[in-house]
Amino acid sequence: MAHDTTPDASRADVIVVGAGAAGLYTALVAAREGARVALVSRSPLAESASYWAQGGIAAALADDDSAELHMEDTLSAGRGVSREGAARVLCEEAPARVRDLEALGVRFDADRRGALALGLEGGHSRRRVVHAGGSATGRRITRDLSALAARHQRIEVLELTSASSVWVEDGRCIGALVEAKDGGPRALLARGTVLATGGAAALWERTSNPRGATGVGMTLAHAAGADLADIEFMQFHPTALVSSDDGHDGFLLTEALRGEGATLITEDGERFVEELSPRDEVALAVQRQLGDGRTVLLDMRAIDLGRFPNIVSALHTAGLDPASQPVPVAPAAHYTMGGVATDLHARSSLPGLYAVGETGCTGLHGANRLASNSLAECFVFGWRAAHAALGEPAVPGGGAPPAPGPSPVPPPETRHALWRLAGLERTRAGLEQLAGDPFPLARLIAGSALAREESRGAHQRADHPATDPELDLRHFVVPAATGARWEEWR
Ligand SMILES: Cc1cc2nc3c(=O)[nH]c(=O)nc-3n(C[C@H](O)[C@H](O)[C@H](O)COP(=O)(O)OP(=O)(O)OC[C@H]3O[C@@H](n4cnc5c(N)ncnc54)[C@H](O)[C@@H]3O)c2cc1C
């Protein structure tokens, strides 16, 4: 790879925006390949969704498993919309990425014989989920990768610094404008700019995500001219804690608890759903009980809670003892299937701009993400983005840097409106009301949800309750200019 020759402190080979699992790994892979990387991180470590991940990474590693079987499960969860090519890439490459993480020093949980311990989760037909420290997987991985990034000679970590716009010249992304919390703006030039700013679930009032997950990358990319896709698909997790304490409300009670035998009951002790059904079905069943005025509780009394120490400890601090009492739960916005539309190398429609992890949308997840495929996606497409970005041509000097872009922070009214009008069950009237919201990304989500006149996976329309087979494999693409369109992705 040829490096740019201009000695300029504001010039890197690759800029990575966001230091969750996707951003950290992309930065490390690019640096390993010889690139000078600027890693821009807005928040302290604990504020990424990656840090909070409780399940693990899905990869077909067992003797009785294969990429084909993993792919079948992924496509089945995606409800006929997943892009097969992207699912294939994920399932074929996830095992190598797990091995690479091990080589980087991440210690995954092992069984008694020293082999990787593989967990079973809802929607997976084989045991294929690797963990690190039980339910502390995300914390372990982000901690290990950020320590590596911090001491890597070719990675400049710009902490407590936010990207505020994407720098575009002559129809190509040539870098980004960043702003340190305690400093002024700084323009960065690079041949490849990778957005890894996480998802958009915190646009909804009730969420399992950190508050900063407001679709920042989508807002930045769209303002710069890149296409978005599938943004009508928001996955609602069925079991987020209900608490009057804001700090605990929305705390995720992982699916693995139900995998171990925890049950969902009403206040009368009645079970009302098969607990390991797909996430969208369980979430809807819970929401309907709540809509009928019942309380829904997760009963963990019969399971071995020793495997979930961080969950037990969080519940104790919320004043709850799961070993002796069921805890109240309700759905919460959890995972953004859509995002910045990309090809299979994480390239957006704007040359030089990439999107990985929850910010990107390869079409892999279709209408419903399979549990633990998202961390796998961070590593598989992060690796691909790092390699592709290094192949970009060098950028010229760069003229005047861009002005800061639109604010990615939604007003509270917008978060309330998204929860009420684009929640688990949507109607035309509600979405039309949302289409007038002052926050641009909320309007785009409303437009996409209006266009999809069917119910499928995470997108349920009370006025269009059936799935429309005409929309199989069809993704709704929202360009920066006018002219939203359907595209078939294979
Ligand atoms: C509670 C919970 C549990 C989960 N459990 C699992 C699981 O077990 N398995 C699984 O596969 N998935 C799980 N997920 C989903 C998974 O964690 C996420 O999809 C994944 O971690 C997203 O990683 P990311 O790197 O794309 O984004 P994030 O981890 O969210 O990181 C984004 C980073 O970008 C930074 N950022 C944002 N805007 C800017 C800006 N303008 N400038 C600079 N930096 C910026 C943020 O501060 C943050 O550090 C879980 C999610 C949650 C919330």
Side-chain angles (χ1 to χ4, degrees):
M1 185 204 73
H3 288 280
D4 296 337
T5 47
T6 325
D8 183 338
S10 296
R11 188 181 279 270
D13 294 309
V14 178
I15 300 167
V16 178
V17 182
L24 287 166
Y25 186 69
T26 305
L28 286 165
V29 173
R32 186 166 69 190
E33 294 298 315
R36 286 166 302 150
V37 179
L39 176 60
V40 185
S41 175
R42 182 180 66 184
S43 61
L45 210 61
E47 282 173 31
S48 73
S50 302
Y51 185 87
W52 290 12
Q54 296 173 353
I57 307 173
L61 287 154
D63 291 343
D64 66 346
D65 200 1
S66 66
E68 283 302 319
L69 288 171
H70 187 184
M71 195 168 142
E72 270 174 32
D73 295 341
T74 300
L75 296 181
S76 147
R79 301 283 202 278
V81 189
S82 297
R83 183 195 227 159
E84 259 186 58
R88 182 172 302 284
V89 165
L90 179 94
C91 301
E92 285 180 351
E93 297 181 11
R97 298 287 71 82
V98 170
R99 297 297 182 199
D100 189 31
L101 288 168
E102 283 188 298
L104 285 169
V106 176
R107 289 185 56 192
F108 291 107
D109 299 344
D111 63 20
R112 262 183 253 123
R113 286 171 293 121
L116 284 175
L118 298 172
L120 185 63
E121 283 186 11
H124 290 278
S125 57
R126 293 288 187 279
R127 299 188 80 86
R128 64 165 74 100
V129 181
V130 292
H131 297 90
S135 53
T137 304
R139 188 179 304 186
R140 285 272 184 96
I141 293 175
T142 45
R143 187 196 62 192
D144 292 352
L145 297 187
S146 53
L148 288 173
R151 54 174 194 264
H152 201 296
Q153 285 189 340
R154 282 190 295 280
I155 300 180
E156 184 190 3
V157 182
L158 303 172
E159 269 181 320
L160 300 183
T161 299
S162 294
S164 52
S165 62
V166 169
W167 192 350
V168 182
E169 230 173 65
D170 298 330
R172 178 187 171 194
C173 167
I174 58 167
L177 184 77
V178 303
E179 294 184 48
K181 200 169 172 211
D182 303 320
R186 179 175 164 192
L188 297 174
L189 286 165
R191 58 180 74 216
T193 299
V194 184
L195 297 176
T197 55
L203 280 180
W204 276 255
E205 188 169 53
R206 196 172 148 70
T207 180
S208 66
N209 277 224
R211 291 291 173 246
T214 58
V216 181
M218 285 193 242
T219 296
L220 289 175
H222 200 248
D227 293 349
L228 307 181
D230 286 355
I231 57 174
E232 68 276 26
F233 291 128
M234 168 54 57
Q235 183 175 76
F236 295 90
H237 198 286
T239 54
L241 184 66
V242 175
S243 169
S244 52
D245 168 4
D246 212 28
H248 289 104
D249 191 52
F251 177 75
L252 194 83
L253 296 165
T254 172
E255 196 149 18
L257 292 160
R258 281 174 281 133
E260 291 298 310
T263 53
L264 280 164
I265 54 174
T266 62
E267 68 269 38
D268 306 321
E270 263 174 51
R271 280 175 74 183
F272 57 87
V273 67
E274 174 47 56
E275 282 83 359
L276 287 180
S277 302
R279 217 168 248 187
D280 51 348
E281 289 174 22
V282 181
L284 256 185
V286 171
Q287 188 64 19
R288 287 186 177 141
Q289 293 293 329
L290 297 170
D292 290 343
R294 298 195 186 90
T295 299
V296 174
L297 304 152
L298 186 66
D299 188 351
M300 296 169 260
R301 288 174 296 184
I303 68 169
D304 174 12
L305 284 166
R307 280 199 49 220
F308 305 96
N310 62 331
I311 292 178
V312 173
S313 132
L315 290 174
H316 281 168
T317 54
L320 297 164
D321 176 14
S324 64
Q325 64 182 145
V327 305
V329 291
H334 181 58
Y335 184 81
T336 317
M337 267 79 75
V340 179
T342 73
D343 68 7
L344 301 187
H345 295 275
R347 297 184 190 101
S348 78
S349 61
L350 178 66
L353 184 68
Y354 292 71
V356 292
E358 210 169 322
T359 305
C361 173
T362 59
L364 151 70
H365 305 295
N368 198 20
R369 173 194 63 130
L370 184 63
S372 289
N373 264 358
S374 37
L375 282 177
E377 176 187 36
C378 290
F379 304 119
V380 167
F381 290 95
W383 189 93
R384 287 183 152 236
H387 284 84
L390 290 174
E392 294 282 353
V395 293
S407 165
V409 183
E413 302 76 45
T414 292
R415 298 186 66 224
H416 182 62
L418 273 154
W419 180 254
R420 211 165 47 83
L421 305 170
L424 281 85
E425 272 186 298
R426 302 148 176 200
T427 62
R428 167 164 292 279
L431 292 169
E432 279 173 351
Q433 196 183 329
L434 187 65
D437 194 272
F439 193 68
L441 194 48
R443 292 200 296 276
L444 297 178
I445 291 167
S448 298
L450 275 166
R452 191 171 281 282
E453 292 185 327
E454 63 161 357
S455 289
R456 188 190 290 263
H459 171 72
Q460 295 290 321
R461 287 273 302 256
D463 49 348
H464 291 281
T467 299
D468 178 357
E470 295 278 306
L471 293 179
D472 284 357
L473 297 177
R474 312 270 284 169
H475 299 257
F476 194 67
V477 178
V478 187
T482 51
R485 60 188 186 274
W486 290 100
E487 283 182 6
E488 191 171 298
W489 293 359
R490 290 191 172 270

